[in-house]
Amino acid sequence: MSAFVVGDIQGCFEALQCLLKKIDFEPGRDTLYSVGDLVNRGPNNLETLRLLKALDARVVLGNHDLHLLALYYGSGPAQPRRKDTLADVLAAPDREALMAWLRSQPLCRWLPERNIVLSHAGLPHIWHLEQALALAREVETVLCSDQAQAYFDAMYGNEPAGWSDDLSGMARLRVITNYFTRMRFINDRGDLELTMKETVDKAPSGFAPWFDFVPQHTARVVFGHWAALGGHTGRAHALAVDTGCVWGGALTAMDLDTLERVACDC
């Protein structure tokens, strides 16, 4: 039995099928994990969600997944964007079952037997592992509650820019969400710079990639979200698996036991 984690799929269904064949994935024997951004920008979001749900894939939510949920469950503030390719999901006859499955997924997964953490954007150095998991659960609890609509309506935004234990309400949930799903550059205090998507050498003054800071845990963090990295961080504790499939790169799967990578060109 093998366990694989796949990078940002973003509706690239054909590449996902290619990758599953290449790694000889067998349902019932092997386990598939995903670091999120299952949908959006690519052409076949509906088929992608249906397949991942059928395979009982163990995913974490990315920013594009949350955007889809906000379009479905929100009351108006979330609006389709020009580059969205989510219409097939939102019009599907089985959309309610797909959205319920997606909504039940966590922001963060810890695999203690491997000492690996899966998070779409990574983990900030200001949190130890137990704290990060607890904060993720705060958002996950709201996602599965009758407060979900209010959360989706308040989810968007870059403020607060950093963490404080004194935060409460939707501001607290928003910044937790941003750390797990949108983080790239951060400063030593833990403030986020959420407008820059470039390579690490383009870090804004006073900021650095989140994985350049010394973590408060010993786990390896496997993450996606940052296609510009090309799957490389130069850090043993931070393993990037987003290799830009939707941008013409590749879709990458990594064996969680051997850390061996396999890719299909997109």
Side-chain angles (χ1 to χ4, degrees):
M1 177 177 138
S2 297
F4 301 93
V5 60
V6 63
D8 300 33
I9 304 165
Q10 295 194 245
C12 297
F13 179 67
E14 291 185 3
L16 177 59
Q17 287 184 305
C18 167
L19 194 58
L20 292 173
K21 183 176 181 180
K22 202 166 185 178
I23 63 177
D24 190 28
F25 183 85
E26 184 176 315
R29 180 193 69 186
D30 303 323
T31 304
L32 185 66
Y33 292 89
S34 165
V35 292
D37 275 7
L38 315 179
V39 296
N40 213 9
R41 303 292 190 263
N44 301 111
N45 300 285
L46 179 58
E47 291 88 345
T48 298
L49 282 181
R50 284 173 172 167
L51 177 58
L52 292 170
K53 182 175 181 290
L55 293 176
D56 193 25
R58 301 174 189 184
V59 313
V60 294
L61 295 172
N63 50 302
H64 284 291
D65 309 315
L66 287 171
H67 177 59
L68 171 59
L69 289 170
L71 290 174
Y72 188 73
Y73 288 110
S75 64
Q79 294 295 320
R81 298 164 176 167
R82 182 174 59 86
K83 294 182 180 180
D84 284 353
T85 58
L86 299 168
D88 58 344
V89 179
L90 294 170
D94 54 342
R95 60 187 179 275
E96 179 58 38
L98 292 171
M99 293 299 94
W101 174 77
L102 191 62
R103 179 181 172 185
S104 69
Q105 303 306 314
L107 288 180
C108 184
R109 288 182 183 268
W110 180 42
L111 312 181
E113 69 279 10
R114 298 179 174 91
N115 200 23
I116 283 176
V117 174
L118 306 181
S119 169
H120 179 60
L123 285 186
H125 64 284
I126 57 172
W127 295 341
H128 55 73
L129 180 55
E130 292 78 9
Q131 181 183 14
L133 293 169
L135 293 173
R137 282 194 296 270
E138 290 187 27
V139 176
E140 294 156 12
T141 298
V142 170
L143 281 175
C144 294
S145 75
D146 57 9
Q147 293 182 284
Q149 185 181 84
Y151 164 77
F152 288 124
D153 290 347
M155 180 180 70
Y156 297 90
N158 295 348
E159 299 294 333
W163 175 250
S164 167
D165 290 333
D166 296 330
L167 287 169
S168 62
M170 291 302 168
R172 180 182 177 94
L173 298 179
R174 186 186 309 114
V175 73
I176 294 171
T177 301
N178 285 342
Y179 279 113
F180 281 111
T181 67
R182 297 179 61 207
M183 175 177 64
R184 291 186 180 95
F185 294 109
I186 194 170
N187 66 17
D188 58 354
R189 296 188 307 274
D191 298 329
L192 295 167
E193 207 302 324
L194 293 171
T195 64
M196 300 290 287
K197 301 181 181 180
E198 287 77 5
T199 52
V200 295
D201 59 311
K202 301 290 180 61
S205 177
F207 289 82
W210 65 267
F211 46 78
D212 279 1
F213 294 93
V214 178
Q216 297 188 52
H217 56 81
T218 61
R220 282 193 173 102
V221 180
V222 179
F223 70 103
H225 184 57
W226 203 343
L229 296 175
H232 304 287
T233 67
R235 307 289 181 180
H237 68 274
L239 305 176
V241 291
D242 179 7
T243 46
C245 183
V246 79
W247 310 115
L251 187 63
T252 294
M254 184 174 70
D255 187 308
L256 285 171
D257 293 311
T258 67
L259 305 187
E260 179 183 358
R261 296 172 184 238
V262 176
C264 279
D265 290 336
C266 299

